[in-house]
Amino acid sequence: MENILYQLRQRQIFKVATIYAVSAWPLIQIADLSVPALGLPDSVMTMLLQVFVAGFPITLIFAWLFNFTPNGIVRVSSDNHSQGEQPINLKATLAVVGSLLVMTTILFASQYLFDDKNSYVADKLNNNNSKLLPPVPPAIGSKINTQDEQLNSKKESIAILPFVAFSSDPEDEYFADGMVEELLNLLSKIPDLQVAARTSSFAFKGVTNKTITAIGKELGVDIILEGSIRKNDTTNKIRVTAQLIKVSTGEHLWSETYDRVYQDIFKIQDDIANAVVNKMKVTLLGAQRIYISAETLNVDAMIEHGKGQKELTHRSVASINKAMTHFKRAVLLDPNYARAHVGVADSTILSALYGNTSKKLASENAQRAINKALAIDKEFAAAFASQGLLLSWEDVVKAEQSFKRAIELNPNYAMTYMWYGSLLKQSGKLKGSQTLFLKALKLDPKSPIAANNVAWGYYLMGDETKAMEIFSQIISNDPYYPGAYTLAGEILTTHGRMDEATNMYNRALEVDPVNSHAIQGLLTASMDMGDFDATEQWFEYVEKRIALFSEPYVNLLKARFNWVLGNREEALRYLDMAGFDKENFDKMRALFHVYFVKTLAPR
């Protein structure tokens, strides 16, 4: 024992250890102040401590084997210290301090080098607090879609902007919106036209600071149809003006004015819509006249449907429930309104996907609504798209058949491509799904749902830069869409930027207090950071709102938590309680590492 202590003193191990500790401590203090100032994640401090701890034994081993002398670095032997302990020199001190500085510099530089591509979006959002509005990058529609050669089409593309109502009467505005809805529905049924979806068209309602050319470029269309409605209360007449404008030149292709007596507003709406469609069809495509009847003759039903569609785009549990209420009101007002029945079906299915509605119950109610829609119109494309979404849960082949039928009937319905793409993504066909997602985004470039699908597609295929660019664009278009924040949280998590990821998940929760993806992100982030008190608090958050979450889903999260704590038996117990149907197994793979799945496989 005395010989070992003698050797440690002779080889200056104690002095080197002291120099290492004294040098590392101020560097840690400086880094602790510098990390937040430089906008680096908290994980940098954790990594720095790990590097310093790992470097300590390496430094001691080096000191045991070598020594710094006036003649340079020499191998230590018993002869070197036979004449007593040698004083440690300046070179040895500088070597220890210098190695620590080099390690610190390399760590900081690597964070800038590898994480710079994701930093600007998160940093801007963190500085905006609850405003949720980062700087606006280029519009979603143009730069993303045109890069995909498969989306190049020879079809004429058109967007219909909301008609301006020159009146203070809200009824005139509803009439104007209904006119645009009718035109959209009629034009979308023409195979030779590519029509921008309602979400994108109505995003420009009330916008006066953009030219038609600028709007057309944002929507990625060749032609814009705009119009106005003016009612004369004295003569009880209404005048509707519509004009077709070429985006590239601003040229007016044609302009028409329609005067009608304001009595049966739906007959007026129907007549004018068909007249405009036929005029456009002849002007753009040189085709013969067509006539398609209105989908509803009840103005209140049309208004309720429009409100439901607006709510449905946010994809939060609360907005989906509100949308369902509006769609059901529309059905009560007009039981023969097929599109309203489809709205009921869609919101019912989504309430199971985003909320805690039983899939069995949702499936029964949604199928009933779809059957009613098809009974009213056996060739209603939106109903076939909803049928495909519903069948995606249990019969992939039939689901795909329904989606293909929907595209055949109406190639301009963006939701078909979104849901069809999701089906392919679940089957691992990422390239095929991304093609469909891009097609949906081309049809509906202002839709946060379409953009979010494209962003996730890029992320899954390894292009995080594009994914984060689209994330910023989604937020600028709709800061109340929670899916964008969960996407950013996922990307930041993969880079170990847990504090920023947590911030994104919190943003999603501000928008949608029961967003399951955000809850999962916050729970798993707190587990992985070792902040188990925060994990317990988030479980309490869930328990207080337990009626809004499915029991199997909560049990999966508890299983993961117990696995992290090392309580394997308890983890397996919760996993058994969660059940092993396909949905829960998919969620389990997302929540647990691959080794956990392999461990459970034999059971």
Side-chain angles (χ1 to χ4, degrees), residues 258-536:
Y258 304 90
D259 293 311
R260 297 288 191 277
V261 176
Y262 195 76
Q263 291 178 341
D264 186 347
I265 61 172
F266 278 99
K267 188 177 186 306
I268 299 171
Q269 200 175 70
D270 202 21
D271 289 346
I272 294 176
N274 273 280
V276 171
V277 168
N278 278 290
K279 187 68 175 179
M280 287 176 53
K281 205 167 190 297
V282 171
T283 301
L284 298 178
L285 308 173
Q288 296 179 348
R289 291 182 58 85
I290 62 169
Y291 186 84
I292 307 173
S293 60
E295 293 183 355
T296 180
L297 298 179
N298 187 303
V299 66
D300 293 324
M302 183 183 292
I303 292 169
E304 289 294 338
H305 177 268
K307 290 178 179 178
Q309 285 295 334
K310 184 177 180 180
E311 290 290 348
L312 207 58
T313 60
H314 297 308
R315 288 298 197 270
S316 68
V317 174
S319 67
I320 291 170
N321 290 334
K322 288 179 182 177
M324 188 185 299
T325 300
H326 288 301
F327 291 136
K328 286 182 176 179
R329 286 176 184 168
V331 168
L332 288 174
L333 291 165
D334 184 358
N336 292 317
Y337 191 8
R339 197 170 293 275
H341 287 290
V342 167
V344 172
D346 292 347
S347 55
T348 301
I349 298 170
L350 293 174
S351 69
L353 292 175
Y354 288 82
N356 71 326
T357 303
S358 162
K359 278 199 170 181
K360 181 180 179 182
L361 179 62
S363 180
E364 292 173 355
N365 292 336
Q367 188 62 64
R368 191 178 301 114
I370 292 169
N371 290 342
K372 289 179 180 178
L374 290 174
I376 297 167
D377 184 352
K378 64 181 180 181
E379 294 188 342
F380 191 35
F384 282 99
S386 301
Q387 184 72 78
L389 176 63
L390 183 58
L391 289 170
S392 298
W393 292 347
E394 51 194 37
D395 194 328
V396 174
V397 175
K398 288 185 178 179
E400 191 164 11
Q401 290 173 352
S402 293
F403 288 135
K404 288 180 177 179
R405 178 58 176 156
I407 293 172
E408 180 184 343
L409 292 169
N410 183 355
N412 290 305
Y413 188 51
M415 294 309 305
T416 305
Y417 300 98
M418 293 187 209
W419 293 333
Y420 192 3
S422 296
L423 180 70
L424 294 185
K425 186 175 73 172
Q426 291 171 11
S427 303
K429 301 174 182 177
L430 296 182
K431 187 175 181 180
S433 68
Q434 188 70 347
T435 299
L436 292 170
F437 289 151
L438 285 164
K439 176 64 176 176
L441 186 57
K442 188 174 183 67
L443 289 170
D444 200 354
K446 288 291 183 180
S447 166
I449 310 162
N452 196 51
N453 283 331
V454 171
W456 271 103
Y458 281 133
Y459 170 58
L460 293 174
M461 290 190 293
D463 196 338
E464 295 177 5
T465 302
K466 279 187 178 179
M468 290 299 274
E469 286 174 358
I470 298 175
F471 157 75
S472 182
Q473 295 169 5
I474 295 170
I475 298 307
S476 66
N477 284 333
D478 184 357
Y480 300 103
Y481 181 68
Y485 299 110
T486 58
L487 167 66
E490 176 73 17
I491 295 175
L492 292 166
T493 297
T494 60
H495 286 267
R497 303 174 65 154
M498 306 305 292
D499 52 337
E500 292 169 306
T502 299
N503 183 45
M504 291 297 101
Y505 291 131
N506 276 314
R507 292 290 176 87
L509 216 56
E510 288 176 17
V511 177
D512 183 9
V514 290
N515 186 280
S516 60
H517 296 293
I519 294 292
Q520 175 183 318
L522 289 165
L523 280 165
T524 54
S526 61
M527 293 178 206
D528 294 341
M529 289 190 294
D531 190 355
F532 300 139
D533 290 338
T535 306
E536 294 284 3

Side-chain angles (χ1 to χ4, degrees), residues 142 146 151-160 192-196 212-226 243-253 280 284-285 442-443 445:
S142 55
T146 54
L151 298 182
N152 292 336
S153 173
K154 295 181 180 179
K155 290 183 179 180
E156 288 282 359
S157 55
I158 186 170
I160 308 174
D192 298 325
L193 276 180
Q194 180 174 290
V195 185
I212 290 295
T213 300
I215 292 173
K217 287 181 179 179
E218 284 197 36
L219 293 176
V221 296
D222 304 316
I223 306 294
I224 290 283
L225 176 68
E226 67 169 0
Q243 51 190 3
L244 204 62
I245 303 171
K246 191 172 184 178
V247 170
S248 60
T249 62
E251 173 191 359
H252 284 61
L253 299 179
M280 287 176 53
L284 298 178
L285 308 173
K442 188 174 183 67
L443 289 170

